[in-house]
PDB file of all heavy atoms in Angstrom:
ATOM      1  N   ALA A 126     -12.747  -7.170   2.717  1.00  0.00           N
ATOM      2  CA  ALA A 126     -12.342  -5.757   2.698  1.00  0.00           C
ATOM      3  C   ALA A 126     -11.085  -5.564   1.851  1.00  0.00           C
ATOM      4  O   ALA A 126     -10.989  -4.588   1.088  1.00  0.00           O
ATOM      5  CB  ALA A 126     -12.106  -5.252   4.126  1.00  0.00           C
ATOM      6  N   LEU A 127     -10.144  -6.485   1.953  1.00  0.00           N
ATOM      7  CA  LEU A 127      -8.910  -6.356   1.163  1.00  0.00           C
ATOM      8  C   LEU A 127      -9.190  -6.541  -0.328  1.00  0.00           C
ATOM      9  O   LEU A 127      -8.619  -5.860  -1.161  1.00  0.00           O
ATOM     10  CB  LEU A 127      -7.876  -7.384   1.624  1.00  0.00           C
ATOM     11  CG  LEU A 127      -7.276  -7.154   3.009  1.00  0.00           C
ATOM     12  CD1 LEU A 127      -6.418  -8.334   3.437  1.00  0.00           C
ATOM     13  CD2 LEU A 127      -6.465  -5.856   3.039  1.00  0.00           C
ATOM     14  N   ILE A 128     -10.069  -7.466  -0.663  1.00  0.00           N
ATOM     15  CA  ILE A 128     -10.363  -7.742  -2.068  1.00  0.00           C
ATOM     16  C   ILE A 128     -11.172  -6.614  -2.686  1.00  0.00           C
ATOM     17  O   ILE A 128     -10.866  -6.164  -3.796  1.00  0.00           O
ATOM     18  CB  ILE A 128     -11.115  -9.090  -2.202  1.00  0.00           C
ATOM     19  CG1 ILE A 128     -10.205 -10.245  -1.797  1.00  0.00           C
ATOM     20  CG2 ILE A 128     -11.626  -9.284  -3.637  1.00  0.00           C
ATOM     21  CD1 ILE A 128     -10.939 -11.566  -1.586  1.00  0.00           C
ATOM     22  N   LEU A 129     -12.155  -6.112  -1.980  1.00  0.00           N
ATOM     23  CA  LEU A 129     -13.066  -5.107  -2.554  1.00  0.00           C
ATOM     24  C   LEU A 129     -12.674  -3.670  -2.279  1.00  0.00           C
ATOM     25  O   LEU A 129     -12.989  -2.796  -3.074  1.00  0.00           O
ATOM     26  CB  LEU A 129     -14.492  -5.328  -2.021  1.00  0.00           C
ATOM     27  CG  LEU A 129     -15.127  -6.654  -2.323  1.00  0.00           C
ATOM     28  CD1 LEU A 129     -16.523  -6.731  -1.694  1.00  0.00           C
ATOM     29  CD2 LEU A 129     -15.202  -6.892  -3.819  1.00  0.00           C
ATOM     30  N   GLY A 130     -11.985  -3.439  -1.181  1.00  0.00           N
ATOM     31  CA  GLY A 130     -11.806  -2.082  -0.732  1.00  0.00           C
ATOM     32  C   GLY A 130     -10.542  -1.373  -1.145  1.00  0.00           C
ATOM     33  O   GLY A 130     -10.235  -0.320  -0.624  1.00  0.00           O
ATOM     34  N   THR A 131      -9.780  -1.954  -2.059  1.00  0.00           N
ATOM     35  CA  THR A 131      -8.495  -1.335  -2.349  1.00  0.00           C
ATOM     36  C   THR A 131      -8.488  -0.543  -3.626  1.00  0.00           C
ATOM     37  O   THR A 131      -7.459  -0.080  -4.078  1.00  0.00           O
ATOM     38  CB  THR A 131      -7.395  -2.406  -2.402  1.00  0.00           C
ATOM     39  OG1 THR A 131      -7.753  -3.371  -3.370  1.00  0.00           O
ATOM     40  CG2 THR A 131      -7.221  -3.051  -1.052  1.00  0.00           C
ATOM     41  N   GLY A 132      -9.563  -0.467  -4.300  1.00  0.00           N
ATOM     42  CA  GLY A 132      -9.616   0.325  -5.529  1.00  0.00           C
ATOM     43  C   GLY A 132      -9.003  -0.279  -6.755  1.00  0.00           C
ATOM     44  O   GLY A 132      -9.050  -0.485  -7.276  1.00  0.00           O
ATOM     45  N   GLY A 133      -8.526  -0.738  -7.423  1.00  0.00           N
ATOM     46  CA  GLY A 133      -7.870  -1.305  -8.567  1.00  0.00           C
ATOM     47  C   GLY A 133      -8.779  -1.827  -9.633  1.00  0.00           C
ATOM     48  O   GLY A 133      -8.325  -2.090 -10.680  1.00  0.00           O
ATOM     49  N   GLY A 134     -10.096  -1.890  -9.379  1.00  0.00           N
ATOM     50  CA  GLY A 134     -11.019  -2.269 -10.423  1.00  0.00           C
ATOM     51  C   GLY A 134     -11.181  -3.757 -10.629  1.00  0.00           C
ATOM     52  O   GLY A 134     -10.499  -4.577 -10.051  1.00  0.00           O
ATOM     53  N   ALA A 135     -12.116  -4.041 -11.521  1.00  0.00           N
ATOM     54  CA  ALA A 135     -12.495  -5.421 -11.789  1.00  0.00           C
ATOM     55  C   ALA A 135     -11.385  -6.196 -12.488  1.00  0.00           C
ATOM     56  O   ALA A 135     -11.213  -7.386 -12.262  1.00  0.00           O
ATOM     57  CB  ALA A 135     -13.766  -5.456 -12.609  1.00  0.00           C
ATOM     58  N   ARG A 136     -10.629  -5.530 -13.348  1.00  0.00           N
ATOM     59  CA  ARG A 136      -9.578  -6.224 -14.094  1.00  0.00           C
ATOM     60  C   ARG A 136      -8.545  -6.846 -13.154  1.00  0.00           C
ATOM     61  O   ARG A 136      -8.156  -7.992 -13.307  1.00  0.00           O
ATOM     62  CB  ARG A 136      -8.889  -5.274 -15.067  1.00  0.00           C
ATOM     63  CG  ARG A 136      -7.813  -5.982 -15.889  1.00  0.00           C
ATOM     64  CD  ARG A 136      -7.079  -5.044 -16.790  1.00  0.00           C
ATOM     65  NE  ARG A 136      -7.974  -4.632 -17.869  1.00  0.00           N
ATOM     66  CZ  ARG A 136      -7.681  -3.675 -18.743  1.00  0.00           C
ATOM     67  NH1 ARG A 136      -6.565  -3.020 -18.640  1.00  0.00           N
ATOM     68  NH2 ARG A 136      -8.520  -3.369 -19.687  1.00  0.00           N
ATOM     69  N   GLU A 137      -8.092  -6.052 -12.160  1.00  0.00           N
ATOM     70  CA  GLU A 137      -7.119  -6.575 -11.185  1.00  0.00           C
ATOM     71  C   GLU A 137      -7.699  -7.719 -10.387  1.00  0.00           C
ATOM     72  O   GLU A 137      -7.003  -8.708 -10.108  1.00  0.00           O
ATOM     73  CB  GLU A 137      -6.676  -5.465 -10.228  1.00  0.00           C
ATOM     74  CG  GLU A 137      -5.378  -4.824 -10.627  1.00  0.00           C
ATOM     75  CD  GLU A 137      -4.891  -3.875  -9.548  1.00  0.00           C
ATOM     76  OE1 GLU A 137      -4.885  -4.251  -8.360  1.00  0.00           O
ATOM     77  OE2 GLU A 137      -4.522  -2.759  -9.908  1.00  0.00           O
ATOM     78  N   ALA A 138      -8.976  -7.621  -9.996  1.00  0.00           N
ATOM     79  CA  ALA A 138      -9.612  -8.682  -9.213  1.00  0.00           C
ATOM     80  C   ALA A 138      -9.700  -9.960 -10.032  1.00  0.00           C
ATOM     81  O   ALA A 138      -9.430 -11.058  -9.521  1.00  0.00           O
ATOM     82  CB  ALA A 138     -10.997  -8.250  -8.760  1.00  0.00           C
ATOM     83  N   LYS A 139     -10.042  -9.850 -11.306  1.00  0.00           N
ATOM     84  CA  LYS A 139     -10.119 -11.022 -12.178  1.00  0.00           C
ATOM     85  C   LYS A 139      -8.742 -11.666 -12.328  1.00  0.00           C
ATOM     86  O   LYS A 139      -8.597 -12.884 -12.282  1.00  0.00           O
ATOM     87  CB  LYS A 139     -10.671 -10.664 -13.554  1.00  0.00           C
ATOM     88  CG  LYS A 139     -12.157 -10.483 -13.592  1.00  0.00           C
ATOM     89  CD  LYS A 139     -12.614 -10.187 -15.014  1.00  0.00           C
ATOM     90  CE  LYS A 139     -14.086  -9.927 -15.066  1.00  0.00           C
ATOM     91  NZ  LYS A 139     -14.542  -9.618 -16.432  1.00  0.00           N
ATOM     92  N   LYS A 140      -7.730 -10.829 -12.508  1.00  0.00           N
ATOM     93  CA  LYS A 140      -6.364 -11.333 -12.674  1.00  0.00           C
ATOM     94  C   LYS A 140      -5.924 -12.053 -11.389  1.00  0.00           C
ATOM     95  O   LYS A 140      -5.344 -13.143 -11.447  1.00  0.00           O
ATOM     96  CB  LYS A 140      -5.415 -10.184 -12.993  1.00  0.00           C
ATOM     97  CG  LYS A 140      -3.995 -10.613 -13.249  1.00  0.00           C
ATOM     98  CD  LYS A 140      -3.118  -9.419 -13.605  1.00  0.00           C
ATOM     99  CE  LYS A 140      -1.675  -9.841 -13.784  1.00  0.00           C
ATOM    100  NZ  LYS A 140      -0.811  -8.684 -14.069  1.00  0.00           N
ATOM    101  N   ALA A 141      -6.184 -11.443 -10.246  1.00  0.00           N
ATOM    102  CA  ALA A 141      -5.804 -12.048  -8.975  1.00  0.00           C
ATOM    103  C   ALA A 141      -6.564 -13.363  -8.747  1.00  0.00           C
ATOM    104  O   ALA A 141      -5.987 -14.339  -8.276  1.00  0.00           O
ATOM    105  CB  ALA A 141      -6.082 -11.084  -7.820  1.00  0.00           C
ATOM    106  N   ALA A 142      -7.845 -13.397  -9.095  1.00  0.00           N
ATOM    107  CA  ALA A 142      -8.618 -14.620  -8.940  1.00  0.00           C
ATOM    108  C   ALA A 142      -8.081 -15.728  -9.837  1.00  0.00           C
ATOM    109  O   ALA A 142      -7.987 -16.882  -9.419  1.00  0.00           O
ATOM    110  CB  ALA A 142     -10.084 -14.349  -9.245  1.00  0.00           C
TER     111      ALA A 142
END
Side-chain angles (χ1 to χ4, degrees):
L127 291 172
I128 294 166
L129 300 179
T131 57
R136 182 183 289 171
E137 262 188 48
K139 282 183 183 179
K140 183 178 177 183

